Amino acid sequence: MNIKSLLLGSAAALIAVSGARAADAVTVAEPEPAEYVKICDVYGAGYFYIPGTETCLRIGGYVRYDIGVGDAGSFDGVNHVPDHQGDGTHSTYYKNTRFTLKTWTGQETELGTLKTYTETRFNYGNSSGDFLNQDASNSSRDDWQGRNKSLSLRFAWIQLGGLRVGKDDTAFDTFIGYAGNVIQDTLVPYGGQESNVVQYYFDAGSGFSGLISLEEGAGKVGTIDSYVPHVVGGLKYKGDWGAVTGVVAYDSNYEEVAGKVRLDVNVSKELTLFVMGGYGTDNNLNDNAGNAIDASGRGFYKQWGGNWAVWGGGTYKFNDKTAFNAQISYDEWKNLAVAANVAYTVVPGFTVTAEVDYLNAGKFDDADFNNWTKANKKSSLGGILRFQRNF
């Protein structure tokens, strides 16, 4: 055997071994293509397609922390809390932490846009009010204590085209725009809120729109007592300068009518103003002697004192971060309320608001006084500080 034969034999052996190993090699499967979330920009920012569907979904909400001090009648204070060692009573902070989860969906169909909206609220804290009465018969005597409050399904509706069904705030408030950009905007109330509804919205073009709403109401006074629903109708004209809106509601329980008219004006880029007036009939609402359920002058829609009330205020934006908001309200029962705040956006999505609230309960000393805010004196003053992170 020579060197040449040895080299050729070695090469042949190596090729054979390599071929055997190649025959035993494991084939690695190609990875499946990943299915990434697809952005949906049809309905605005934040929507994405639910995988495998044509439905767009958005998830959002906020976390909020409120701390209030002052008189109970301002909605900000907690008064006459019993001392743990029996040494009289004290005032303490009103505190509430809220987590709110919101969802929106949208999908285009042959009958129009199919939309849903839900809002669920979780709250922990105490309740504002005067807790001087600690008798066992007082069911709310311990509400000054911090606790997990009841879970609230605030909104849950379906809308196809102009038809909306489900749980919403009454159109008496939503269509006209509630009141001002203050925290305590209901020191003089402007109408009931939560309700199951069947509504139809229509857009007439050229800035005109309207709706009709059949509503269940809520609470002891507000929930309908027969197959006859409450009825709300509204009309609006909106332009670049602002808007004019009117709503009328029929209370089927007490057979009364209430209405509101609102004017919004965009004075400048920085300043917006509004004024809103309400009027309602109340003969049956005041008939406590004849009613099985006493309303004491306040129905589901006409919640203000007397036949008429007025609300006014506005917002002034100093810059992109800071805004001043104010609201003044007054009703026929001489309830005067003033609320003003400064809202400061620390960083995008995180706002701190400091507010001062005042109420003068005009009929506080009268025998027929209906104490909406549970005031414990004629003039109430309070303040509230709010921290809110929107996402």
Side-chain angles (χ1 to χ4, degrees):
M1 180 180 294
N2 56 32
I3 295 175
K4 184 177 179 179
S5 299
L6 181 63
L7 291 174
L8 288 173
S10 299
L14 287 171
I15 291 171
V17 171
S18 299
R21 288 183 178 177
D24 295 335
V26 177
T27 302
V28 179
E30 291 292 330
E32 292 291 330
E35 184 175 358
Y36 296 100
V37 173
K38 184 180 178 182
I39 300 300
C40 172
D41 57 6
V42 177
Y43 308 106
Y47 284 86
F48 59 89
Y49 285 99
I50 299 174
T53 75
E54 295 299 318
T55 300
C56 298
L57 170 66
R58 177 186 168 194
I59 300 173
Y62 61 83
V63 176
R64 173 190 293 173
Y65 177 71
D66 289 341
I67 177 169
V69 296
D71 300 321
S74 69
F75 286 148
D76 300 326
V78 180
N79 304 149
H80 294 113
V81 171
D83 185 272
H84 281 68
Q85 299 184 57
D87 187 17
T89 62
H90 311 281
S91 290
T92 188
Y93 299 100
Y94 162 69
K95 291 189 176 185
N96 190 74
T97 298
R98 173 184 293 175
F99 166 58
T100 294
L101 180 63
K102 302 179 181 181
T103 68
W104 300 258
T105 67
Q107 181 180 342
E108 295 306 307
T109 75
E110 65 274 15
L111 298 178
T113 303
L114 176 60
K115 300 187 292 185
T116 67
Y117 174 68
T118 69
E119 182 174 324
T120 306
R121 298 177 180 178
F122 306 81
N123 290 280
Y124 178 87
N126 60 359
S127 300
S128 64
D130 187 331
F131 297 93
L132 184 61
N133 178 12
Q134 291 294 310
D135 294 339
S137 59
N138 178 15
S139 60
S140 62
R141 65 187 183 277
D142 293 329
D143 284 356
W144 58 269
Q145 300 171 4
R147 65 201 186 280
N148 278 303
K149 301 177 183 179
S150 59
L151 179 68
S152 171
L153 179 63
R154 197 66 176 82
F155 299 93
W157 49 256
I158 305 166
Q159 183 167 335
L160 178 60
L163 178 65
R164 178 181 296 183
V165 296
K167 186 176 187 292
D168 199 355
D169 278 354
T170 169
F172 196 64
D173 294 339
T174 59
F175 191 72
I176 205 167
Y178 298 89
N181 294 325
V182 295
I183 297 172
Q184 306 298 10
D185 64 341
T186 60
L187 292 170
V188 173
Y190 46 78
Q193 293 192 352
E194 299 178 68
S195 180
N196 282 319
V197 301
V198 177
Q199 301 175 335
Y200 189 81
Y201 292 80
F202 60 91
D203 186 347
S206 301
F208 289 95
S209 60
L211 97 161
I212 186 75
S213 181
L214 307 181
E215 304 185 348
E216 180 188 26
K220 188 174 182 180
V221 169
T223 305
I224 56 174
D225 56 11
S226 70
Y227 287 118
V228 181
H230 303 313
V231 182
V232 179
L235 291 172
K236 177 183 292 186
Y237 174 75
K238 186 176 182 180
D240 294 336
W241 56 269
V244 177
T245 312
V247 289
V248 177
Y250 171 71
D251 184 330
S252 69
N253 288 341
Y254 295 92
E255 300 179 338
E256 301 284 11
V257 177
K260 294 184 294 187
V261 176
R262 174 171 174 148
L263 172 66
D264 290 277
V265 179
N266 302 321
V267 179
S268 67
K269 183 179 179 181
E270 296 80 16
L271 179 63
T272 58
L273 299 173
F274 84 95
V275 62
M276 180 170 69
Y279 184 86
T281 60
D282 62 1
N283 289 337
N284 293 329
L285 292 172
N286 286 315
D287 187 16
N288 285 356
N291 291 330
I293 297 177
D294 295 341
S296 300
R298 300 185 189 269
F300 184 66
Y301 299 104
K302 194 211 72 64
Q303 290 186 343
W304 54 87
N307 293 116
W308 58 266
V310 62
W311 303 259
T315 295
Y316 183 82
K317 294 182 179 179
F318 295 99
N319 50 52
D320 291 339
K321 284 180 169 289
T322 311
F324 173 73
N325 305 288
Q327 176 181 305
I328 300 175
S329 48
Y330 187 76
D331 64 23
E332 190 180 16
W333 285 355
K334 301 179 180 179
N335 294 303
L336 170 65
V338 181
N341 69 48
V342 174
Y344 179 72
T345 301
V346 182
V347 294
F350 179 46
T351 301
V352 179
T353 304
E355 178 167 304
V356 176
D357 303 300
Y358 171 78
L359 174 72
N360 183 272
K363 298 184 70 174
F364 184 81
D365 297 320
D366 296 353
D368 61 345
F369 175 54
N370 184 315
N371 196 352
W372 172 260
T373 68
K374 303 298 184 287
N376 51 20
K377 54 185 176 180
K378 189 177 181 72
S379 293
S380 300
L381 180 66
I384 189 167
L385 185 63
R386 170 169 290 176
F387 303 84
Q388 183 161 316
R389 167 66 165 108
N390 296 312
F391 60 89

